[in-house]
Amino acid sequence: MVDVAIIGAGPAGCAAAIEVARAGRSVAIIESKTFPRTKVCGEYISPSATQELEALLGPDELRILGASTVDRLTLAGGDRAWSWVAPPAWVLSRAGLDAALLSQAKQAGGSVLSPETVRSVDYENESVGVLLNSGERVRAGVVVHADGSGRHDPSGATPRDRRVVGLKCHLRTPSPVAGLVMRPGRGAYAGLVGIESGDATCAVVARTSQVKKLGGNHDRLLGTIWPGYNPSWRVSDWHACPVPRSRWIASGHPRSIRVGNAAAAVDPAGGEGIGNALWSGRLAGAQLAAWLGDGSQPGNLAALHREMGRAYTRRLRLRLPACRLLAIALMRPALARALAGIGSVPVARSLTVEPWLAMTGKPMRG
């Protein structure tokens, strides 16, 4: 019997595990994959999550891992580019980030079951039973769904928008990528950032219809967004996954907690996916540590759920629509260029682009 069982060892799950374990409580992390792993993710961690990440992995430790900070955002379209300065944001590959967070969770006292797949979750008044495909059963006071979907929560899995798809590969470009570079395209957009290996992460969000139109050739798709792209730069396979989109999803049982994309999925425009995962994982972990420290009274779980719901609602009230609008604009090159032009005029920028980007978690500094 453990205090908390966590399904998923990504940023949200490990953040929750670290907070619970640091409070001296027992936690078991269940992960279906073997680390290090590749995820469809931009590997740029939103400036809004800098404090959250540094609370889990200190700046010195991040630099030892090869992480770096970038403070420049560039919108590149056609033969023009517009750049702005934003608060520093960490850049680190998911292979490095996930492994480091899981290691930190272990050091804090968490136990890890991997690779293990969850077959089912049984909810009872006094505890939760997590049945693994191996036949092993983990009994816990609470289960945290950090698997990106929450499919084992009674409320069901997070909706995924099948009209769009997320793509990712790594590139070795002739020149290093400076800061975060966003490239708008017709029906698709791309984000590029340099990572610790010297390569660049290229993350693309595209309409499914656009992918089909180009015969599923992702190199060709990237070429429509970035005319200067050379497929020979690609040093990894393309990876693809559906894009989750949802508002706050309340858990379907008092002893079930949803975090990360399992709780609410923000459009992946500039690292908000990882930012939301780290923030929600830490919040849930802190709330659970306080609940466990209060004697684990079942009635207090209702207060925990209310606080999670209020916190998510506050955070997403403006961020969710702002990120959605940013994604829409980036799939319309003419609109993106017009907005970038407005952003180049200080007075106009302060009234339009600056407050908009601040709502997405990426405030500008001039």
Side-chain angles (χ1 to χ4, degrees), residues 274-309:
I274 300 181
N276 185 53
L278 292 168
W279 168 80
S280 62
R282 286 199 69 216
L283 173 66
Q287 292 286 329
L288 284 168
W291 172 70
L292 291 163
D294 195 35
S296 305
Q297 296 299 315
N300 293 343
L301 277 173
L304 186 156
H305 282 280
R306 285 195 299 270
E307 178 53 34
M308 288 288 293

Side-chain angles (χ1 to χ4, degrees), residues 249-266:
I249 303 173
S251 297
H253 191 277
R255 293 187 178 273
S256 178
I257 309 292
R258 302 174 73 117
V259 295
N261 280 348
V266 180

Side-chain angles (χ1 to χ4, degrees), residues 322-342:
C323 287
R324 182 75 188 98
L325 288 172
L326 179 57
I328 290 172
L330 288 170
M331 287 190 178
R332 291 165 173 78
L335 175 58
R337 288 193 294 269
L339 291 170
I342 293 172

Side-chain angles (χ1 to χ4, degrees), residues 115-238:
E116 281 281 10
T117 305
V118 175
R119 184 184 302 175
S120 63
V121 179
D122 299 319
Y123 299 92
E124 301 173 4
N125 290 333
E126 300 298 326
S127 64
V128 177
V130 182
L131 178 62
L132 308 180
N133 275 338
S134 64
E136 182 178 353
R137 184 180 295 273
V138 178
R139 188 152 295 281
V142 171
V143 61
V144 174
H145 301 272
D147 58 352
S149 72
R151 61 186 177 276
H152 292 291
D153 176 72
S155 293
T158 303
R160 294 176 181 262
D161 191 339
R162 300 290 175 173
R163 297 170 299 177
V164 291
V165 62
L167 306 168
K168 171 186 172 177
C169 71
H170 287 126
L171 308 175
R172 190 158 296 152
T173 55
S175 301
V177 177
L180 173 66
V181 179
M182 301 298 297
R183 292 185 173 274
R186 189 174 301 279
Y189 64 89
L192 294 103
V193 70
I195 56 174
E196 65 270 21
S197 63
D199 295 336
T201 295
C202 178
V204 176
V205 176
R207 294 196 184 103
T208 307
S209 58
Q210 183 74 350
V211 175
K212 290 180 178 178
K213 179 181 177 181
L214 297 172
N217 188 323
H218 303 331
D219 284 322
R220 187 179 171 195
L221 172 67
L222 183 55
T224 67
I225 304 169
W226 183 8
Y229 168 65
N230 187 331
S232 68
W233 298 345
R234 184 162 55 82
V235 294
S236 76
D237 293 334
W238 281 101

Side-chain angles (χ1 to χ4, degrees), residues 1-23:
M1 175 83 174
V2 294
D3 293 317
V4 180
I6 298 177
I7 304 173
C14 283
I18 291 168
E19 293 292 338
V20 172
R22 283 177 177 175

